[in-house]
Each structure stands twice: as structure tokens, then as C-alpha cells.
Amino acid sequence: MIKIVTVCGNGIGSSLMCAMKIEEICKEEGIEADVTSSDFNSVAGKQVDLIVTIKQLAEQLTNYNVAEIRSYTNKRKIKEDVLEKIKELTK
């Protein structure tokens, strides 16, 4: 099972909605994933396979496996931005 964390500034709104969308995408694709959300300041200590966030925050997470998204809420855009990276993790 892969571990994914979605990150936004506060970790309670946008990243939670994005985590729910990624859970749906993984379920539709038959991928087992543990998806959680976090605020930017807390993500540094987390042991995860993939961090999903917007470009502005991704640029500050240089030592992590990060997928940049264009939207926290648009499922189609999230799927386009992260599905290939998620599939790579399952190989």
C-alpha cells in the first residue's frame, strides 16, 4: 500500500478535499493507497511515498517525491496531474 499525503497551507480544507478526490481516483483504478492531508509545516517529518500539492508549495519541498496539482478540488485535473506518478509507485 502506498502512502500519499496532500498538503495545503493549513491542512484542514483544501488538502482534505484533495485527499478525498485522490482516494476516489485510487479506488476507481484499483490502487491501494493510504491518503491523508497535512499542513505545510507538518509534512517534513512524515514518511510517505508521495506528496501532492500546488506548485507554490511544491517548489519548497525539494527533497521529496512531489506531484504538483493545478487544483485541489477538480477531480479531472487532479487525476491528470497525479495518476501516472501514483501508478509508478505501485510497480
Side-chain angles (χ1 to χ4, degrees), residues 42-91:
S42 299
V43 74
K46 296 190 183 287
Q47 297 294 319
V48 297
D49 298 304
L50 181 66
I51 295 172
V52 177
T53 190
I54 58 171
K55 182 178 181 180
Q56 292 82 357
L57 297 179
E59 292 172 346
Q60 300 173 57
L61 297 168
T62 56
N63 296 325
Y64 299 92
N65 186 18
V66 179
E68 290 181 16
I69 53 173
R70 293 169 285 165
S71 169
Y72 282 114
T73 57
N74 185 307
K75 185 177 173 181
R76 181 185 56 79
K77 288 182 179 178
I78 294 168
K79 188 173 184 177
E80 290 174 359
D81 293 340
V82 303
L83 185 57
E84 192 159 324
K85 276 200 167 204
I86 291 172
K87 284 183 174 179
E88 287 176 12
L89 293 171
T90 62
K91 293 180 181 176

Side-chain angles (χ1 to χ4, degrees), residues 5-49:
V5 63
T6 59
V7 177
C8 70
N10 294 320
I12 54 174
S14 302
S15 61
L16 180 59
M17 291 177 64
C18 184
M20 293 168 60
K21 301 292 183 189
I22 292 176
E23 281 180 335
E24 290 175 13
I25 292 165
C26 288
K27 190 175 282 187
E28 290 168 2
E29 296 292 325
I31 297 170
E32 290 187 40
D34 177 24
V35 186
T36 59
S37 62
S38 175
D39 66 285
F40 179 77
N41 292 324
S42 299
V43 74
K46 296 190 183 287
Q47 297 294 319
V48 297
D49 298 304

